[in-house]
């Protein structure tokens, strides 16, 4: 039945209704009356139904919902009047009865028009709310909430529109946040490149002008080398960070012995720690600690965290690197006895180029990329890195996945 074209279905319904009417009249009165009823009503029913299809196809010409409904009522009341007068013509009704039924049908028609107006008012106002809401969204508003009075298809539409507005707002906010972060990054990069480049220019000019000679010249050349290596490190770090963040990860993951890796890294950092009078020690479990990771990248994370800890710990203080397994993961913690990170800085330390502390307390050694790179590496491994709260000093933790057994 559903496959049948709508017009055919309407005509079939009209035909069945006329047949039923004719059968009732045939049963109650006579067969001739039944045949007349059928033959007179069938073209009327077909005409009215075709008119309704025409209306549906040309809704645009009929204007608003209220007008469409009014037109529908007029067609229905018109068809009732026509059928009454057809019946009168066929002598089923007296002239008096036909007038009475016509007046009743007209009065009911007028009442139906008013009822339609009242009912369609709610629908119209909901449609207007939807239109106003969409116009507001189109105009840039993202806190619009479309409210409708009913609990019908229009209410479902309003719910979908509200969900869409919320999604748009969230997407725009995160895009704006990303844009602001990119602008901050560009500003920081320019600043961090400009400072060593200015020193480089001064040194080169002094050497070129012959101002620096002998030992001074040699010292300037070694300073030049330091600036060049700082710049190279900065550009390499930036490149690495942007590659990881873009998902361009070409590392191979393997089953690594994390305890051995941590032990080796602590040994490798001992010289730098000794120069500053800082003790550095590894606190490792007795048994092997396996992780699914890329060893060079994990070394990089460990290096960044231990270097930070050593840099911020005063002489005679100590740095501890602890590793252990924890509910299907492995967890590494780097604790130091330094000044700690100020509450205002804590939410930002993983942002690229963020250097905490005050200008005077800030170490001049870093670009503020170490923790950003560490976070990118750890997250690319499917792990987490965070700043654990600690009474004094700083406590950094990160996790890596344990290898799947077997
Ligand atoms: N162990 C720590 N103790 C105190 N502050 C820290 C510690 N680790 C990080 N921070 C703070 O977080 C900031 C960001 O650290 P991050 O490692 O990203 O940059 P950086 O060490 O300044 O430079 P880079 O690592 O690029 O050489 C640091 O500037 C510092 O203020
Ligand atoms: Mg660092």
């Amino acid at each position: 039945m559903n496959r049948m074209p709508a017009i055919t279905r309407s005509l079939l319904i009209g035909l069945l209704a006329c047949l039923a009417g004719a059968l009732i009249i045939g049963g109650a009165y006579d067969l001739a009356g039944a045949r007349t009823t059928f033959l007179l009503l069938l073209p009327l029913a077909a005409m009215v139904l075709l008119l309704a299809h025409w209306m549906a196809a040309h809704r645009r010409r009929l204007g608003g919902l209220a007008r469409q409904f009014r037109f529908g009522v007029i067609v229905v009341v018109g068809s009732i009047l026509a059928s009454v007068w057809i019946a009168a013509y066929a002598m089923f009704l007296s002239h008096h009865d036909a007038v009475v039924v016509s007046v009743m049908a007209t009065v009911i028609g007028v009442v139906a028009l008013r009822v339609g107006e009242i009912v369609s008012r709610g629908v119209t106002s909901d449609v207007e709310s939807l239109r106003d809401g969409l116009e507001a969204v189109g105009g840039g508003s993202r806190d619009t909430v479309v409210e409708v009075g009913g609990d019908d298809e229009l209410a479902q539409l309003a719910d979908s529109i509200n969900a869409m507005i919320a999604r748009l707002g969230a997407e725009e906010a995160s895009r704006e946040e990303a844009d602001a972060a990119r602008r901050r990054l560009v500003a920081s990069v320019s600043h961090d490149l400009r400072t060593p480049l200015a020193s480089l220019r001064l040194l080169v000019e002094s050497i070129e002008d012959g101002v620096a000679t002998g030992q001074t010249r040699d010292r300037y050349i070694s300073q030049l080398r330091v600036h060049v290596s700082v710049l190279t490190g900065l550009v390499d770090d930036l490149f690495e960070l942007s590659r990881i963040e873009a998902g361009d990860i070409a590392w191979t993951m393997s089953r690594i012995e994390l305890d051995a890796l941590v032990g080796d890294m602590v040994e490798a950092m001992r010289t730098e720690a000794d120069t500053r009078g800082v003790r550095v020690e590894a606190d490792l479990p007795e048994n092997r600690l396996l992780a699914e990771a890329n060893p060079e990248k994990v070394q990089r994370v460990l290096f960044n965290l231990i270097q930070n800890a050593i840099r911020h710990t005063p002489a005679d203080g100590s740095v501890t690197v602890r590793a252990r397994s924890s509910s299907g993961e492995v967890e590494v913690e780097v604790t130091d006895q330094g000044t700690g990170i100020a509450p205002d800085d804590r939410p930002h330390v993983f942002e690229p180029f963020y250097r905490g502390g005050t200008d005077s307390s800030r170490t001049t050694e870093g670009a503020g990329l170490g923790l950003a790179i560490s976070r990118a590496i750890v997250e690319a491994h499917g792990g987490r890195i965070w700043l654990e709260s600690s009474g004094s000093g700083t406590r950094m933790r990160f996790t890596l996945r344990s290898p799947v057994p077997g």
Side-chain angles (χ1 to χ4, degrees):
M1 187 83 174
N2 273 345
R3 295 252 175 90
M4 199 183 281
I7 280 198
T8 315
R9 207 176 327 146
S10 300
L11 290 177
L12 198 65
I13 290 170
L15 178 69
L16 290 175
C18 290
L19 262 178
L23 281 177
I24 291 168
I25 288 182
Y29 301 104
D30 55 283
L31 275 179
R35 204 184 55 227
T36 319
T37 307
F38 182 75
L39 290 178
L40 289 175
L41 283 186
L42 190 60
L44 177 72
M47 218 170 66
V48 171
L49 287 167
L50 289 176
L51 193 60
H53 278 280
W54 178 88
M55 248 179 73
H58 295 85
R59 277 174 56 209
R60 190 182 280 268
R61 291 200 202 164
L62 295 175
L65 283 175
R67 274 194 67 186
Q68 291 177 36
F69 189 82
R70 231 175 278 145
F71 198 80
V73 171
I74 288 169
V75 169
V76 171
V77 172
S79 65
I80 292 172
L81 290 179
S83 64
V84 168
W85 284 98
I86 286 169
Y89 168 78
M91 301 301 174
F92 298 129
L93 287 177
S94 66
H95 185 265
H96 167 267
D97 291 349
V99 171
V100 170
V101 173
S102 303
V103 169
M104 280 168 63
T106 311
V107 171
I108 290 300
V110 171
V111 171
L113 278 177
R114 181 63 192 150
V115 169
E117 221 167 82
I118 294 165
V119 173
S120 69
R121 201 180 290 157
V123 175
T124 312
S125 105
D126 283 356
V127 170
E128 278 167 6
S129 299
L130 292 166
R131 184 200 57 204
D132 293 349
L134 286 174
E135 273 176 10
V137 174
S141 159
R142 293 294 176 264
D143 48 14
T144 303
V145 178
V146 179
E147 279 175 33
V148 293
D151 185 14
D152 48 16
E153 286 84 348
L154 291 176
Q156 288 167 6
L157 184 60
D159 286 347
S160 307
I161 290 175
N162 287 333
M164 181 197 77
I165 300 172
R167 220 171 29 248
L168 271 180
E171 277 171 12
E172 277 180 13
S174 80
R175 219 173 14 251
E176 274 163 25
E177 171 61 28
D179 279 351
R182 206 169 300 124
R183 276 195 296 277
R184 279 198 303 274
L185 192 72
V186 171
S188 307
V189 173
S190 338
H191 174 268
D192 279 60
L193 289 177
R194 206 178 299 132
T195 317
L197 279 174
S199 308
L200 275 178
R201 203 180 59 232
L202 283 177
L203 291 168
V204 169
E205 278 171 9
S206 317
I207 294 168
E208 262 181 3
D209 297 351
V211 178
T213 52
Q215 279 190 344
T216 317
R217 187 170 180 274
D218 292 347
R219 209 176 66 244
Y220 278 14
I221 288 176
S222 80
Q223 283 177 14
L224 269 177
R225 197 166 293 128
V226 171
H227 284 306
V228 168
S229 84
V230 167
L231 276 176
T232 313
L234 178 67
V235 172
D236 288 350
D237 280 355
L238 262 177
F239 188 56
E240 167 142 33
L241 184 63
S242 66
R243 270 182 51 176
I244 305 174
E245 283 185 344
D248 178 9
I249 299 160
W251 329 316
T252 48
M253 301 286 221
S254 56
R255 178 185 286 245
I256 61 165
E257 289 182 13
L258 191 67
D259 48 326
L261 201 81
V262 169
D264 291 349
M265 187 45 79
V266 165
E267 285 314 312
M269 301 298 285
R270 204 174 291 288
T271 323
E272 185 174 344
D274 285 347
T275 343
R276 293 172 183 259
V278 173
R279 281 187 310 283
V280 53
E281 56 203 39
D283 174 358
L284 302 169
E286 303 257 299
N287 39 2
R288 275 194 330 178
L289 199 57
L290 297 177
E292 185 71 22
N294 177 281
E296 284 83 32
K297 299 299 162 188
V298 176
Q299 261 169 354
R300 181 78 202 270
V301 175
L302 285 168
F303 172 82
N304 288 343
L305 298 187
I306 302 172
Q307 186 191 51
N308 279 353
I310 295 174
R311 274 183 189 168
H312 292 92
T313 301
D316 278 345
S318 67
V319 169
T320 310
V321 187
R322 200 169 288 128
R324 59 174 173 261
S325 83
S326 145
S327 52
E329 292 178 319
V330 282
E331 200 172 270
V332 180
E333 182 185 86
V334 180
T335 330
D336 65 53
Q337 295 179 328
T339 44
I341 300 177
D344 285 352
D345 292 333
R346 293 175 75 89
H348 304 290
V349 286
F350 290 100
E351 291 170 12
F353 288 103
Y354 190 85
R355 272 168 293 186
T358 54
D359 285 348
S360 53
S361 72
R362 196 169 289 150
T363 63
T364 51
E365 290 147 303
L369 285 173
L371 289 180
I373 290 176
S374 304
R375 179 171 68 175
I377 292 177
V378 170
E379 288 181 354
H381 276 79
R384 289 167 297 127
I385 183 166
W386 70 100
L387 187 51
E388 185 75 12
S389 63
S390 58
S392 65
T394 301
R395 191 181 292 244
M396 285 280 179
R397 273 200 199 155
F398 71 92
T399 60
L400 292 172
R401 286 194 190 130
S402 297
V404 185

